[in-house]
Amino acid sequence: MKIIDLRSDTVTKPSKAMLQVMFEAEVGDDVFADDPTVNALEEKAAKLFNKEAALFCSSGTQTNQIAIKVHTQPGDELICDRTTHIYNYEGGGIAFNSGVQVRYLFGDKGRFTAEDVIQNINDDNVHFPKTSLVCIENTVNKGGGSIWSLEQMQSIKKVCDDKKLPLHLDGARIFNALIETKNTTQEIGAIFNSISICLSKGLGCPVGSVLIGDKDFIYKARRIRKVFGGGMRQAGYLAAAGIFALNNNIVRLADDHKKAKYLEQIIQHLDYVDDVITVETNLIIFKLKVQISMPHFIHHFENHQIKIVPAGVQTIRFAMHLDVDDSDLTRITEALKSFNF
Ligand SMILES: *Cc1c(COP(=O)(O)O)cnc(C)c1O
């Protein structure tokens, strides 16, 4: 029986068509900037967001960490929501790589307001760390895939412009957001100084993220990528998958959202479930009632050949992705309904 893997949207395997373009990619040495396929991916990603330049990196952690490093100096402070990936899931990289501390906000499922930002920018005073960056995550992973509206993001940009602060987007799942809101990548590009997109999540690539910004920013980012050990050589094989994904795997994200909404309907009505975060995109985060044993629940799914992992106290996250099909939904539903507690 096929193993269904709901642990993350990173678990997808490249399709035959994707492998074919990887196999046939023209490559060079990207540290010498002469890998034509990497250059083509960077150009494509930059153009998509109406920015000047882009940089292909190994992971979303790397693109975010490079951006933070370029935008800040040691001792500075950045503003983000307490749910963010940069704060929770990058191994303390903000402190480790950049010597920067975090001023975190208590937003609504990861989404804070312009007023929140204004309240948390430090005055210019020797006692206070210098506020030097604001970061937004869209969609918000720990927010259950919640989406920022264009207006919310634009109002943050206005504050950043007024206060001369750069604004970074962790857009690991920005295409999931855009498929729902129907806003354009150009509209996103106009708001942010730097943007990180992940190719290895819903877009189905084996590896890779892209950092996007203006020429001067990417020039500095390229140096930091080398310092972080992220200069790759014949990376065109990986970049080819990225080009394929941007051409073929964005529109289909809507299918993942449909699957997530279908399962949400079922999970909502289960006796042993306390709460489900309203599904907006491809992630379903729900809480089991206090008396339910998490290991027991996870083991039950293992017995149905379905892989899941905890996402916090009594909390489970199911990620929908391109390797979950309709017959898998039937099996997931059966596993949910047959759980005896
Ligand atoms: C997955 C993810 C990243 C990057 O993760 P990597 O595993 O390093 O590629 C960054 N931000 C968010 C919100 C993510 O979900």
Side-chain angles (χ1 to χ4, degrees):
M1 202 178 357
K2 170 189 166 187
I3 292 174
I4 302 171
D5 196 339
L6 304 181
R7 293 173 301 168
S8 173
D9 45 6
T10 56
V11 298
T12 56
K13 310 263 165 70
S15 63
K16 280 224 166 66
M18 182 179 277
L19 285 171
Q20 193 62 30
V21 298
M22 293 172 72
F23 192 68
E24 288 167 3
E26 226 187 295
V27 297
D29 187 324
D30 183 47
V31 175
F32 291 109
D34 68 9
D35 185 306
T37 310
V38 172
N39 293 342
L41 170 65
E42 291 176 347
E43 209 171 292
K44 185 179 178 67
K47 222 171 166 186
L48 191 57
F49 287 86
N50 199 23
K51 291 286 198 201
E52 290 172 353
L55 186 68
F56 182 50
C57 294
S58 63
S59 71
T61 298
Q62 192 172 63
T63 43
N64 283 331
Q65 291 298 319
I66 291 171
I68 292 164
K69 183 73 189 156
V70 173
H71 288 307
T72 62
Q73 290 299 318
D76 288 353
E77 190 165 82
L78 68 75
I79 295 176
C80 65
D81 191 80
R82 74 192 158 118
T83 58
T84 48
H85 195 279
I86 56 167
Y87 175 66
N88 290 283
Y89 299 123
E90 298 187 4
I94 297 171
F96 192 101
N97 297 316
S98 298
V100 166
Q101 66 182 37
V102 172
R103 180 78 149 256
Y104 67 60
L105 308 179
F106 294 80
D108 161 37
K109 289 190 263 179
R111 297 160 301 192
F112 47 84
T113 65
E115 189 53 36
D116 293 334
V117 175
I118 291 168
Q119 298 284 336
N120 285 280
I121 296 171
N122 289 329
D123 289 339
D124 184 8
N125 177 310
V126 289
H127 293 88
F128 306 139
K130 182 170 182 282
T131 306
S132 60
L133 176 65
V134 178
C135 298
I136 284 178
E137 182 175 310
N138 189 13
T139 67
V140 185
N141 176 8
K142 268 173 102 72
S146 53
I147 300 173
W148 285 72
S149 74
L150 197 69
E151 295 69 32
Q152 281 175 308
M153 293 186 285
Q154 283 167 337
S155 65
I156 306 285
K157 175 187 165 46
K158 198 172 168 305
V159 174
C160 289
D161 282 351
D162 287 351
K163 305 288 182 183
K164 300 203 166 32
L165 290 173
L167 182 58
H168 172 71
L169 173 67
D170 178 355
R173 297 189 182 82
I174 189 61
F175 297 108
N176 295 84
L178 294 177
I179 282 291
E180 292 298 320
T181 63
K182 314 274 194 262
N183 291 124
T184 64
T185 44
Q186 289 83 359
E187 285 171 310
I188 296 296
I191 297 173
F192 295 94
N193 300 87
S194 55
I195 299 167
S196 160
I197 61 167
C198 282
L199 302 168
S200 61
K201 299 257 161 90
L203 296 189
C205 291
V207 177
S209 286
V210 185
L211 184 60
I212 302 160
D214 66 25
K215 265 199 190 123
D216 179 56
F217 171 83
I218 293 298
Y219 176 81
K220 292 173 183 157
R222 196 174 289 279
R223 169 175 281 275
I224 303 298
R225 184 185 66 173
K226 190 72 180 78
V227 175
F228 285 179
M232 298 186 284
R233 302 295 180 169
Q234 285 73 48
Y237 295 115
L238 300 172
I243 293 170
F244 179 91
L246 291 175
N247 286 333
N248 296 285
N249 289 350
I250 293 179
V251 175
R252 65 148 304 284
L253 290 170
D255 299 344
D256 297 342
H257 301 178
K258 255 191 234 144
K259 288 178 259 180
K261 279 169 191 152
Y262 171 83
L263 288 175
E264 177 190 26
Q265 291 308 310
I266 288 156
I267 292 167
Q268 266 174 353
H269 297 109
L270 296 167
D271 293 342
Y272 57 85
V273 170
D274 194 28
D275 189 32
V276 191
I277 301 182
T278 306
V279 169
E280 295 185 47
T281 51
N282 70 319
L283 304 175
I284 312 151
I285 295 185
F286 57 100
K287 263 196 147 90
L288 303 177
K289 288 194 170 149
V290 281
Q291 68 271 28
I292 306 298
S293 150
M294 287 272 283
H296 184 45
F297 184 76
I298 291 167
H299 187 67
H300 171 77
F301 273 75
E302 249 167 49
N303 287 340
H304 283 76
Q305 311 286 322
I306 301 170
K307 287 189 185 181
I308 59 173
V309 280
V313 180
Q314 292 300 97
T315 307
I316 299 282
R317 185 190 75 169
F318 287 176
M320 294 299 120
H321 51 72
L322 85 182
D323 289 353
V324 177
D325 61 30
D326 287 345
S327 64
D328 297 340
L329 284 187
T330 311
R331 274 177 57 201
I332 298 162
T333 304
E334 277 166 17
L336 282 165
K337 290 192 168 166
S338 64
F339 178 60
N340 269 317
F341 51 95

